[in-house]
Amino acid sequence: YDDQFVSSLDVWTLAEAVIGLTLGSASGRLNLGAGEVFSKAQFVLALAKAQGRDLTRARTASVGRQATARADSLGLDVTRAERMLERPLPRLDGVIANLMAHLEERRL
């Protein structure tokens, strides 16, 4: 979808953040996600580029034109979690880099 926005985070960074918040003095509700909001299409294109793949036959779609109603804005404000962690959460390029690094580890 080029019009559905998320702040997807790789599972390794999510796990590290949860552990860090648990060991710290975190309390209350927190949003954990990427440090920026991006479309699902941006995510897929960035991941394909990082893998050296050309998506010549890929087509974007509109979430608003699907038969099942879906939210179009799923992005999270992670500033409170970042303050508690005392570090920024990765932006899209960092999420992609983390995914690629772990993919390479699995290939070894």
Side-chain angles (χ1 to χ4, degrees):
Y1 300 117
D2 58 0
D3 61 353
Q4 185 178 43
F5 299 91
V6 297
S7 48
S8 298
L9 187 62
D10 60 279
V11 68
W12 301 276
T13 302
L14 176 65
E16 288 172 357
V18 169
I19 291 168
L21 290 165
T22 302
L23 296 175
S25 60
S27 65
R29 292 185 189 150
L30 294 171
N31 291 327
L32 282 174
E36 74 176 313
V37 177
F38 41 84
S39 73
K40 285 190 171 186
Q42 288 173 299
F43 178 82
V44 169
L45 291 172
L47 185 58
K49 182 179 178 182
Q51 293 179 345
R53 296 177 186 235
D54 188 14
L55 300 181
T56 56
R57 295 188 298 180
R59 302 288 181 260
T60 59
S62 172
V63 71
R65 300 185 81 186
Q66 301 303 305
T68 303
R70 297 175 186 222
D72 62 356
S73 184
L74 307 170
L76 301 172
D77 178 356
V78 298
T79 53
R80 185 166 179 252
E82 288 176 323
R83 275 195 310 270
M84 289 182 173
L85 290 165
E86 298 180 346
R87 65 178 171 84
L89 288 159
R91 300 177 64 78
L92 174 58
D93 59 343
V95 171
I96 297 298
N98 291 339
L99 288 170
M100 294 303 296
H102 286 283
L103 181 61
E104 284 300 314
E105 283 179 13
R106 292 187 62 138
R107 289 183 182 158
L108 297 178

